[in-house]
Amino acid sequence: MSRLCQVIFSEWTVIRCLFPSILLALSFVFWTGCTSEETEELGPDIVTLDEYRTFISHEENLITVPNFIRFDNSSNLFVYDAANGSVLMLNPAGEIVREFGRVGRGPGEIQWVSHIHLTENYLYIVDTGQFLIHRYLKDGEYDSVFNYGEIGYIPSVPSPPVTTSQIIVPTLTNQPHITADDEVLLSPVQAGASAESVYRLYDWSGEFKADVGEIPEGSAFTLDNEEIRNDILNGEIPGFYRANVFPVSNPSNPDQLKLVYASLPRIAQYRMNGEKLWETDLSKIPEFEKMTDHFFQTMERMQRADIRSRIGLDYFNAGVMGPDGDLFLASEHEMIQIYRFNGEGELTHTYRLDSDQEIELKPIFDIDFSNREIYIVTELGDLRAYPF
């Protein structure tokens, strides 16, 4: 055999021997690449936020009991201080520049505040104690009032007054809500009554416009302890909890809003004419599966002792919409987490807010999107800003 043939034969033998190994290596690289890509698609980015700055400290005695906070487009922060009985407007430097409302029963005076809302031109204070919604211009002038008690929205179980001495996370479900277009959403969901939608839309003059939001299947409006126990034993969310909903308005698209079914958990997007665009179930989020297990175990134990005993179930406590339509929802489970959903309802990020001291964070928050900071209240009354 010629030397050329020997070389060719020798090289072919080597290639033939190495070929299976090369093929296996290429297959592993291809499989690993695909697996990595699929893993990224399976879950959200989980981000721990452990750096923050204290915007307002309780030691300054500027704010004592901040139960609600809201940002405007100029990074001014509006804070309802329950101890002071008014809403304070703070500029980006943390200085009080304006005050809205005071305790009383006269024009613009308040009793029990269940929420505050901001739109482009107005500040709204929802006064559950008088069944009124007070409207103020942002320069501090009192504008007008919406009396939702006059049109029949006096809840059978009114929301409890916000304490003036301790920060307690407020209940937002089925409370009056102001849309980005300065219209009013009122919930007909009441104990002992029936409802065809979770909210009804009115203009500021009190004219009815639309029913918004479907009542979940299996909802119940009468507190029946036997039914609740049967639901618990069957591993089902009790019907009495199912219609617990709060809206989140979209400032960039006032014709749409999200409805957050806090006890299912579920989010849905609606047009203001009542048309549902989509709905998504969130029960498979790992933290929520733990919350569900804890709820059922606790309820079973409590009801064995006393059938009248029960606890609440809120997967979400509060929410805000970003300028790009992303939805941010706060949940209180072991630690405060902010879940971020895109415009199609897909979970994209989970922000875990870490407190480096043994100070509890409360799910009372808002976001300064201009500076990309999440503001949140501590149990002491501090206001912290977490960059994200």
Side-chain angles (χ1 to χ4, degrees):
M1 182 183 297
S2 70
R3 181 163 182 78
L4 177 60
C5 291
Q6 288 177 345
V7 171
I8 293 173
F9 178 81
S10 175
E11 290 181 351
W12 168 248
T13 302
V14 171
I15 292 171
R16 186 177 59 183
C17 292
L18 291 177
F19 182 76
S21 299
I22 294 170
L23 182 61
L24 180 60
L26 290 173
S27 300
F28 177 78
V29 170
F30 177 77
W31 181 85
T32 303
C34 292
T35 303
S36 173
E37 221 174 276
E38 290 173 0
T39 302
E40 290 175 359
E41 294 177 356
L42 285 177
D45 290 337
I46 299 176
V47 183
T48 298
L49 304 180
D50 52 13
E51 295 183 3
Y52 66 87
R53 63 184 178 90
T54 300
F55 178 63
I56 296 291
S57 170
H58 70 281
E59 295 177 349
E60 300 173 38
N61 292 319
L62 195 66
I63 297 171
T64 306
V65 185
N67 273 311
F68 302 100
I69 62 175
R70 277 291 175 261
F71 271 102
D72 68 10
N73 294 331
S74 300
S75 297
N76 296 307
L77 182 63
F78 293 72
V79 182
Y80 173 64
D81 185 356
N84 185 49
S86 63
V87 175
L88 305 175
M89 176 182 174
L90 284 70
N91 64 19
E95 303 164 331
I96 296 177
V97 296
R98 203 158 290 134
E99 186 172 356
F100 303 80
R102 63 182 181 184
V103 176
R105 295 190 177 275
E109 295 179 336
I110 55 183
Q111 289 292 310
W112 302 348
V113 174
S114 63
H115 212 332
I116 63 173
H117 298 274
L118 281 178
T119 62
E120 185 175 353
N121 298 313
Y122 299 105
L123 163 72
Y124 295 87
I125 301 177
V126 181
D127 182 356
T128 312
Q130 302 183 90
F131 310 115
L132 303 175
I133 302 174
H134 305 281
R135 184 162 81 175
Y136 303 81
L137 297 171
K138 289 187 179 178
D139 63 6
E141 181 182 350
Y142 181 64
D143 179 77
S144 55
V145 66
F146 184 97
N147 189 330
Y148 62 91
E150 283 187 349
I151 54 178
Y153 286 89
I154 299 179
S156 53
V157 183
S159 64
V162 175
T163 176
T164 59
S165 59
Q166 184 181 4
I167 298 171
I168 296 178
V169 179
T171 299
L172 300 184
T173 53
N174 309 113
Q175 295 298 316
H177 178 85
I178 304 298
T179 72
D181 263 350
D182 298 293
E183 295 183 320
V184 183
L185 282 166
L186 299 174
S187 177
V189 174
Q190 300 180 35
S194 60
E196 297 180 357
S197 62
V198 291
Y199 274 93
R200 306 193 84 198
L201 180 67
Y202 295 83
D203 65 20
W204 190 248
S205 69
E207 182 179 348
F208 171 74
K209 298 191 70 175
D211 285 301
V212 182
E214 295 176 355
I215 297 289
E217 184 179 353
S219 294
F221 304 103
T222 301
L223 180 58
D224 187 319
N225 293 311
E226 288 285 352
E227 285 189 8
I228 290 178
R229 182 169 63 178
N230 289 337
D231 286 338
I232 294 297
L233 293 176
N234 292 327
E236 299 177 352
I237 301 297
F240 193 70
Y241 291 61
R242 289 176 167 266
N244 292 340
V245 180
F246 64 87
V248 182
S249 292
N250 186 346
S252 300
N253 187 357
D255 184 53
Q256 297 181 12
L257 86 164
K258 299 285 196 304
L259 290 182
V260 180
Y261 291 78
S263 299
L264 288 180
R266 180 188 302 170
I267 55 176
Q269 180 151 307
Y270 280 84
R271 295 190 190 279
M272 300 310 298
N273 63 4
E275 176 190 359
K276 183 168 75 172
L277 300 177
W278 53 258
E279 182 180 271
T280 184
D281 176 79
L282 306 173
S283 59
K284 297 303 181 183
I285 294 176
E287 295 86 358
F288 293 170
E289 293 180 333
K290 294 178 184 177
M291 290 175 68
T292 303
D293 291 341
H294 172 75
F295 171 76
F296 282 108
Q297 292 169 8
T298 303
M299 285 287 284
E300 286 181 20
R301 184 174 63 253
M302 291 174 65
Q303 292 199 322
R304 279 197 298 269
D306 186 345
I307 194 174
R308 297 167 298 177
S309 300
R310 63 188 180 93
I311 59 172
L313 178 61
D314 290 314
Y315 294 97
F316 300 114
N317 303 95
V320 63
M321 195 93 71
D324 56 359
D326 282 6
L327 175 65
F328 296 76
L329 295 175
S331 179
E332 187 179 25
H333 177 66
E334 296 179 355
M335 67 186 304
I336 297 296
Q337 302 194 108
I338 308 291
Y339 295 94
R340 181 176 183 174
F341 302 88
N342 64 19
E344 287 71 46
E346 298 169 336
L347 179 60
T348 61
H349 296 77
T350 299
Y351 301 106
R352 295 177 173 172
L353 276 60
D354 186 28
S355 179
D356 59 355
Q357 309 165 22
E358 298 205 354
I359 298 175
E360 181 184 349
L361 302 178
K362 298 289 187 179
I364 301 171
F365 86 108
D366 200 4
I367 299 178
D368 179 5
F369 289 101
S370 299
N371 296 303
R372 292 188 58 83
E373 289 183 311
I374 298 171
Y375 280 66
I376 194 158
V377 174
T378 75
E379 62 179 335
L380 299 178
D382 298 333
L383 289 172
R384 291 184 180 178
Y386 285 80
F388 72 101

